[in-house]
Amino acid sequence: MRPLKLTLSAFGPYAGETVLELEKLGKGGLYLVTGDTGAGKTTLFDAITYALYDHSSGGVREGAMLRCKYADPKTPTFVELEFEVNGVRYTVRRNPEYTRPKVRGEGFTAEKADATLTYADGRPPVTKAKDVTAAVQEIIGLDYSQFSQIAMIAQGQFTKLLNVSTEERIRIFRKLFRTQRYARLQDRLQEEASRLNQQRTAQNAKLDSLLSGVQYAPDDPDAAALAALSAQTEPETALALLDALLTRQTAAQETAAAALKQTEAQLDGLQQQLGAARQAAQLAAQLTEKQAALAAAVPALEAARTESARHAGDAAQLDALTGQVTQAKAALSAYDALDALCREQKQAADAAQLARAQAAKKRAQLETLAAQLTADEQALAALEAAPTQKLALETQEKELAQRGEALATLQSRLAACQKLAQKARRAQEAYRTAAEAKAQAHARRDALDKAFLDAQAGVLARELTEGAPCPVCGSTHHPAKAQLPRTAPTQAQVDAAKQEADTADALAQTASTAAQSANAAADEARRSLRRDAESLLPQRFTAPDGPVQLTFALMTTVLAEEADVLHTAQAECTAALRQAEADCARRTALDADRQARTRQRPALEQAASDADRTAAAQSARADALERQITDQRAALPCPQRADAQAALDALEAKRRTFRTGMEQAEAALRRAQQTHAAAKAAVDALLAQQAAAAKAVPEQPLEVLQARQAELSAARTALREQAQQLAAQLLPNRTAAENYRAAAAARAALEQRWQWVSALAATAGGTLTSKQKIRLEAYIQMNYLDRILRHANTRLMQMTAGQYELERIGAENQRSQSGLDLGVIDHYNGTRRSVKTLSGGESFKASLALALGLSDEVQSAAGGIRLDTLFLDEGFGSLDDESLEQAMRVLAGLTEGDRLVGIISHVGALKDRIDRQVVVRKGRTGGSTVELIV
C-alpha cells in the first residue's frame, strides 16, 4: 500500500482544507515529518489510519475526538486518502460524527459518521463505514492491528513489546498471529478429557447401580457370587451369572403359572354351582312375598270400585254450576269497564288543568323576552367602540414584546461578553504562569547541563583502573585521578531537565496561543455588543459631542432601567387589553343573545295560542266522560263490586268441591287396578322362573359348597402371590441384564476414547510427565518469537556494531509454563542479562529492531503482503551521534526495493540528513499548515 494524496478538512489541528501530495515524495527512500510541538505531525498518520480503518494510529483518539476546534462551523470534517495497491488506485473518504449548522433554519444538527470507497475502474462505490473498512482490509490484506504493527508503528509503541510481561506478550502475539485457536484447542482437549473422565465415573456408578438392583432368593445356589458383583467384575463373568439366574427364575415362574391356572378352573366350576343354589333360594323367598301382596290387593280393588260408583251422578250438577259461574264473570266485567272510565275521566281533568297552567306560563315567557330584548339593545350601544380599542392595544403589546426580546438578547450578549473577558484574563494569567515555569525549566536545564559537563573528568576517572589505558591520553598509570563532585548530576537527570524544558516550551506556546485567541474573541464580542446597544438604545449611548463610553457597569444599569420601564408599560397594556377583551367578549355574547331571542319570539307567540286551544279542548273532554260514568253506574245489578265478587266466589267453591270428589275416586280406582295387575304378573313370572331353574340346582347342600369355595380361594391367593413375587424379581432382573450388557459395551468404548483424548490433552497442555512444560499455544508463539528475533537481530547487530543480540529465554524448570521472556547477549563481554538492564539509547535501538522484526514477521504471516510505505512515529533523541548513524543505516536499508519510510522526529541531526520533509507549523490564530519540501 502506497499513499498518494491526503486531504484533511477541519480535522485535528487543521482548520481548513489541507491537501498533501504524498506522491511527490517518490517511491523510495526516507522522508521526515517535522515541525512545532503539538502542531499536528502525528495527526497526519492518524488521518491515514482513520481513513483506512476508522481508527487513529495510536488507538487513543476516536473519530468523534478529531473535529478541529478552530474550524468554521460550516466547514465539513472529513479525511480523503488516495492510495495505490499493486498498481491499482483507490480513494477512500471518511467523516466522523459531529455537529454542524442546519441548512435550513437556525440551530445545529448531527452529521452522522459515514465513509465511501471509490474504484478507479468505474465500479460502483462502497458505502457505509463498516462495509468500507471491510473492503479496505480485503484490498490491502491487513486488518487494523496488523497494519499498526507493520506499516504504522505509533508513538510510544516501540518499547511496548520489549518490556511487557510474558502474559502481556502472550496476549499481543495471540492478537497478531491469531494463536487463540491453539489455546482453544488446548482448552477443548482438556475439557473433553475431563468430560470423558466424568462420564467414566458416571458409567461405573451406573453399572454398580444395575448390579445392586438384581433380586434373588436367599437360598439361590449363586447367592454369594451375585452379592459380590460390581463395576469392577469382568462383564463376561457378570453376564454368565445373570443369565443362569434368569433361567432358574423363568422355570419357577412357569411352574407357578400352571398350578394357578388349574386352581382357577376348579374355582370357576364351583362358582357356577353356588350361583344356581343361591338363585333357587332367592326365587322361593320372592314368590312367597308376591303371593301375599296379590291377596292384599283384591279387597282394596273392590272398595275403590264402590266409591267410584257413588260419584257417578255428580257430573250433571257440575255442568250447571259451571254455567252460573260464566254468567257471574260476565256481569263482573261491567265493574272493570266503569273503573277504567273513571280513570280516563281523572286523567282528562288533570290534563285540562296542566294545559291551562302551560298557557299562562307561555304568556309570561313572552313578556319576559320582550323586556330582555330592550335591555340587550341598550347594552350593545354602550360597547360599540370595544373592538377598535382592543386592536390598538394588541398592536402596542406586540411592540413591547419585541422590545423585551431585544433587551433580553442584549442582556445575554452582555453576559457572554463578560465571560469572554474573564476567560481572556484567565488565559493571560495562565500564559504568565507558563512563561515563568518555562524560564525556571530553562535555568534548571542550563545549570544541570553545565554541571554535568564540568563533572565529565570525574566520571571518566571513576572508570579508570591501574594498568588500563586512559581513553583520553592513553596512559596506563593514573597517579592523580580527578574527583567526581558529590553534587554532579547524572545523564538521566540532565535528560529529564531537557525534557521538562521542552515540555515547558510547549505549554508556554500553547498558553500564548490560547491567550491570543481569548483576547481576540473578547474584543470582537465587545465591539459587537457596542453595535447592538447603539442600534437598540441610541438615546442612551450617543450624545451631541460623540458616543458615550460603554462599560459593563453602565450597560448593566441601562438595561435594568430600560427593563423596569418596559415592565411597567407592559403591565399597564396587559390590564387595558384584558378589559378590552372582556368588553369585546361581552358585546359578542349580547349580540348573540339578542339574535337568539329575536328568533325565539314568533315561536313563543304561536306556542301561547296553541296552549290556550289545548286547555279548552281538554276541559270539554273531561265533562263528557263524567256524564258517561253516571249512566253506566245506574245500569249495574249490585251497588258495589264486592257484592258481585262474593257471589262469584261461592259458586266457584261449590264447583271445586264436586270436581275434587269425582277426581279422587277415579284416581283411587286406577291405583287399585294397577296394584292388583302388577302383583299377579310378578307371581306368574316367579313361578315360571322357578320351574326353569329346577334342573340346575346342585345335589350337595349350600354349606358344603361354600366351604369348598373358601378352600380353593385360599389356594389361588397363595399361588398368585408366588407368581407376583417371581415376576417382581424376573422382570427387573431381565431389564438389569439387558441394561448391563449395553452399559458395559458403552463403558469399553468410552474407556478407549478417554485414553487417547487424555494423552492428546496432556501433550497440548504441556503436562506430560518428565517432559518440558510447554503448551501448544506457547510453542507456536515461541516459534513466532524466534522468527521475529532473527529479523530483529539482523538490524540490532548493525545498530550496535555487533555488540548486542536479543534472545528468547526458555522455561527455568519443567514445572514452569514460561517460554517468551527476552534477554540480551552482550558479545563484547560474553554476558547474558535482562533487556531491562539496557540504557535508554540501547533500549530504544533494541525496541526499534524488535518493532521492525515484528513488522517483517506479521507481514510474512499475513500471506507475504508487501507494503510500499512504512511510518515511524518515535523520537531519536536518546541516541548519540554514532548510534543515530547506525539507526539511519538500518532505516535506509528498509527503503530498498522502492519502499518509502516516513519518520516523525524533532532531532535536529535528522533534519540535516533527510532532504525530503513534511513541515507542520502552528498558525497564530489557531489551526496548522503543512509544507512539502522535496
Side-chain angles (χ1 to χ4, degrees):
M1 192 283 292
R2 185 191 308 279
L4 303 176
K5 181 180 178 181
L6 178 64
T7 303
L8 302 91
S9 177
F11 189 85
Y14 301 95
E17 184 172 307
T18 302
V19 180
L20 191 59
E21 299 287 349
L22 296 173
E23 191 172 10
K24 295 181 180 180
L25 294 172
K27 295 185 176 180
L30 298 175
Y31 72 90
L32 180 67
V33 181
T34 186
D36 301 332
T37 300
K41 298 183 294 298
T42 302
T43 303
L44 298 177
F45 287 4
D46 285 340
I48 293 174
T49 313
Y50 173 70
L52 294 173
Y53 296 102
D54 199 9
H55 281 276
S56 62
S57 62
V60 297
R61 287 188 281 256
E62 297 298 331
M65 302 167 57
L66 297 175
R67 167 76 178 175
C68 180
K69 63 181 179 180
Y70 304 111
D72 185 271
K74 296 181 180 179
T75 302
T77 297
F78 68 87
V79 175
E80 184 175 282
L81 175 67
E82 183 179 351
F83 62 98
E84 182 182 68
V85 177
N86 297 327
V88 182
R89 294 192 174 217
Y90 306 89
T91 302
V92 61
R93 179 187 176 107
R94 194 185 297 269
N95 66 273
E97 182 175 348
Y98 64 95
T99 57
R100 59 168 177 79
K102 293 182 177 178
V103 178
R104 297 179 180 177
E106 299 180 354
F108 290 83
T109 185
E111 180 73 22
K112 295 184 179 180
D114 198 6
T116 304
L117 175 65
T118 306
Y119 298 94
D121 57 5
R123 281 181 288 170
V126 179
T127 59
K128 297 183 180 179
K130 291 184 178 179
D131 295 341
V132 170
T133 302
V136 169
Q137 290 180 5
E138 183 177 358
I139 292 170
I140 299 177
L142 300 173
D143 59 18
Y144 165 70
S145 298
Q146 293 171 328
F147 185 83
S148 62
Q149 292 291 340
I150 296 174
M152 189 73 68
I153 304 179
Q155 188 174 21
Q157 300 297 313
F158 280 71
T159 59
K160 181 177 181 180
L161 187 62
L162 183 68
N163 295 320
V164 295
S165 63
T166 300
E167 291 76 12
E168 181 63 23
R169 190 174 290 113
I170 289 173
R171 286 192 289 271
I172 293 173
F173 281 7
R174 181 176 296 159
K175 184 176 182 181
L176 290 176
F177 301 112
R178 297 182 176 89
T179 61
Q180 58 269 24
R181 58 182 180 271
Y182 301 107
R184 289 196 297 267
L185 176 60
Q186 295 168 190
D187 295 339
R188 287 181 59 185
L189 287 172
Q190 186 62 40
E191 292 172 359
E192 178 70 7
S194 177
R195 184 181 64 82
L196 291 174
N197 191 37
Q198 293 176 358
Q199 291 180 359
R200 289 175 62 244
T201 302
Q203 197 71 9
N204 287 331
K206 180 178 180 181
L207 291 174
D208 285 334
S209 176
L210 290 173
L211 294 174
S212 64
V214 175
Q215 301 180 21
Y216 49 86
D219 56 350
D220 190 271
D222 293 335
L226 291 169
L229 290 177
S230 68
Q232 307 306 321
T233 305
E234 288 296 328
E236 294 78 4
T237 303
L239 288 173
L241 289 172
L242 291 175
D243 291 341
L245 175 64
L246 291 174
T247 301
R248 291 192 296 273
Q249 290 180 341
T250 301
Q253 186 185 39
E254 292 174 353
T255 302
L260 177 61
K261 183 177 181 181
Q262 182 179 3
T263 302
E264 288 179 343
Q266 295 177 2
L267 189 60
D268 290 341
L270 184 61
Q271 289 284 7
Q272 293 177 0
Q273 295 179 11
L274 280 172
R278 290 194 183 98
Q279 184 178 10
Q282 186 177 6
L283 285 174
Q286 290 178 354
L287 179 61
T288 302
E289 180 182 354
K290 293 300 180 182
Q291 287 175 343
L294 177 61
V298 172
L301 177 61
E302 293 298 331
R305 288 173 177 170
T306 302
E307 180 65 18
S308 176
R310 190 173 64 82
H311 287 280
D314 292 344
Q317 296 183 14
L318 184 61
D319 292 339
L321 286 174
T322 300
Q324 294 175 7
V325 168
T326 300
Q327 294 176 358
K329 286 182 177 180
L332 192 63
S333 62
Y335 292 95
D336 296 335
L338 180 61
D339 291 341
L341 191 61
C342 290
R343 289 192 297 272
E344 186 178 0
Q345 191 276 336
K346 178 66 169 60
Q347 293 174 356
D350 293 341
Q353 183 179 0
L354 178 61
R356 289 192 294 272
Q358 288 179 346
K361 181 178 180 182
K362 294 297 182 182
R363 292 295 176 185
Q365 290 176 351
L366 187 60
E367 294 175 357
T368 301
L369 182 63
Q372 290 175 343
L373 283 172
T374 302
D376 289 344
E377 292 292 344
Q378 295 174 354
L380 284 171
L383 297 173
E384 186 68 27
T388 304
Q389 186 178 4
K390 176 175 176 290
L391 183 60
L393 289 170
E394 287 176 344
T395 302
Q396 181 183 359
E397 184 183 40
K398 291 180 180 178
E399 293 174 350
L400 291 173
Q402 292 174 354
R403 184 171 181 81
E405 292 176 357
L407 287 174
T409 301
L410 196 59
Q411 181 68 43
S412 64
R413 296 290 298 275
L414 173 61
C417 191
Q418 290 173 328
K419 289 181 180 178
L420 288 174
Q422 293 174 359
K423 182 178 179 181
R425 287 195 296 273
R426 290 195 297 270
Q428 290 173 352
E429 289 295 332
Y431 171 67
R432 285 193 289 270
T433 302
E436 293 175 0
K438 173 183 175 182
Q440 293 175 1
H442 276 260
R444 173 174 170 77
R445 178 197 64 189
D446 296 342
L448 287 176
D449 192 39
K450 183 177 181 303
F452 180 75
L453 293 175
D454 294 343
Q456 288 305 299
V459 173
L460 290 173
R462 187 175 57 182
E463 302 297 329
L464 293 177
T465 58
E466 194 65 27
C470 175
V472 178
C473 63
S475 174
T476 58
H477 180 56
H478 317 293
K481 293 190 292 184
Q483 297 297 319
L484 179 66
R486 298 177 59 186
T487 59
T490 64
Q491 179 66 53
Q493 291 174 329
V494 173
D495 293 341
K498 290 180 180 180
Q499 183 63 36
E500 290 175 1
D502 292 341
T503 303
D505 288 344
L507 293 177
Q509 179 63 32
T510 302
S512 175
T513 301
Q516 292 176 3
S517 177
N519 284 330
D523 292 341
E524 177 59 28
R526 188 184 294 271
R527 287 192 295 270
S528 177
L529 180 65
R530 176 79 192 193
R531 290 193 298 269
D532 293 343
E534 290 178 350
S535 175
L536 181 63
L537 305 170
Q539 71 281 4
R540 303 299 296 267
F541 295 100
T542 57
D545 54 349
V548 177
Q549 183 181 3
L550 186 146
T551 63
F552 291 152
L554 175 60
M555 178 63 76
T556 302
T557 302
V558 169
L559 289 178
E561 293 174 354
E562 290 295 329
D564 291 341
V565 173
L566 177 65
H567 292 160
T568 302
Q570 285 179 327
E572 294 174 354
C573 180
T574 301
L577 182 59
R578 288 201 186 99
Q579 184 60 46
E581 290 174 346
D583 292 343
C584 288
R586 176 168 173 73
R587 183 176 181 276
T588 302
L590 286 173
D591 186 54
D593 289 345
R594 181 190 64 180
Q595 293 178 7
R597 291 186 179 112
T598 300
R599 291 191 298 270
Q600 292 175 1
R601 187 168 188 170
L604 192 57
E605 290 175 346
Q606 181 65 36
S609 298
D610 293 342
D612 290 338
R613 288 193 294 270
T614 301
Q618 292 291 347
S619 296
R621 184 170 180 273
D623 294 339
L625 290 173
E626 182 64 30
R627 290 191 294 271
Q628 291 180 15
I629 291 172
T630 301
D631 295 341
Q632 289 186 10
R633 184 174 284 119
L636 291 174
C638 295
Q640 298 294 332
R641 176 187 175 88
D643 297 335
Q645 185 65 47
L648 177 61
D649 293 341
L651 290 173
E652 288 281 3
K654 188 174 181 181
R655 187 178 64 169
R656 284 195 299 274
T657 301
F658 276 100
R659 181 178 293 165
T660 301
M662 292 175 60
E663 291 175 349
Q664 289 178 351
E666 292 176 356
L669 177 61
R670 286 195 299 273
R671 288 194 299 272
Q673 289 174 344
Q674 292 172 355
T675 302
H676 181 270
K680 188 174 184 307
V683 170
D684 294 342
L686 289 172
L687 289 173
Q689 291 178 9
Q690 192 175 43
K695 298 179 181 179
V697 176
E699 298 178 357
Q700 294 180 344
L702 182 61
E703 293 78 5
V704 175
L705 295 175
Q706 290 176 342
R708 178 60 179 164
Q709 180 192 27
E711 180 182 349
L712 290 175
S713 296
R716 182 182 63 180
T717 300
L719 289 171
R720 281 180 178 176
E721 290 178 354
Q722 182 182 3
Q724 290 175 356
Q725 183 177 4
L726 290 172
Q729 293 178 352
L730 180 61
L731 292 177
N733 288 349
R734 184 177 290 120
T735 301
E738 294 174 356
N739 293 339
Y740 176 81
R741 183 175 283 102
R747 184 183 65 173
L750 180 65
E751 188 74 21
Q752 182 180 6
R753 178 174 175 79
W754 171 78
Q755 289 177 359
W756 67 262
V757 170
S758 297
L760 281 178
T763 302
T767 58
L768 289 175
T769 306
S770 301
K771 299 291 184 180
Q772 191 172 2
K773 307 299 183 181
I774 300 177
R775 294 184 179 180
L776 177 60
E777 184 186 23
Y779 177 78
I780 300 298
Q781 292 183 348
M782 287 161 55
N783 181 266
Y784 277 117
L785 182 56
D786 289 341
R787 289 154 62 178
I788 291 170
L789 292 179
R790 283 198 295 271
H791 295 297
N793 284 327
T794 300
R795 298 184 175 94
L796 182 60
M797 293 288 283
Q798 294 178 14
M799 285 189 285
T800 61
Q803 180 178 2
Y804 292 119
E805 181 181 359
L806 295 173
E807 67 171 345
R808 178 177 61 80
I809 302 175
E812 297 179 358
N813 51 61
Q814 292 185 352
R815 291 177 295 175
S816 175
Q817 286 284 357
S818 175
L820 295 178
D821 294 331
L822 287 179
V824 62
I825 303 173
D826 190 339
H827 290 290
Y828 283 11
N829 54 28
T831 61
R832 282 180 163 84
R833 49 195 173 96
S834 172
V835 293
K836 296 182 180 179
T837 62
L838 295 174
S839 65
E842 294 169 345
S843 179
F844 171 76
K845 288 186 283 187
S847 300
L848 176 59
L850 189 61
L852 295 175
L854 177 63
S855 175
D856 291 339
E857 181 54 33
V858 174
Q859 186 171 344
S860 175
I865 295 172
R866 173 177 172 77
L867 293 176
D868 301 317
T869 304
L870 178 65
F871 305 93
L872 300 176
D873 186 1
E874 186 69 26
F876 291 78
S878 61
L879 301 181
D880 54 28
D881 292 340
E882 183 180 356
S883 297
L884 182 60
E885 179 65 31
Q886 294 168 345
M888 288 295 295
R889 286 199 298 270
V890 171
L891 294 177
L894 296 176
T895 64
E896 296 177 357
D898 292 336
R899 176 184 285 182
L900 193 64
V901 178
I903 303 171
I904 293 180
S905 180
H906 298 88
V907 177
L910 291 179
K911 298 180 182 179
D912 299 334
R913 293 171 179 268
I914 302 176
D915 296 332
R916 290 176 293 180
Q917 297 181 3
V918 177
V919 183
V920 184
R921 296 186 179 89
K922 286 185 178 179
R924 292 185 177 181
T925 60
S928 299
T929 60
V930 178
E931 179 184 4
L932 189 65
I933 301 175
V934 180

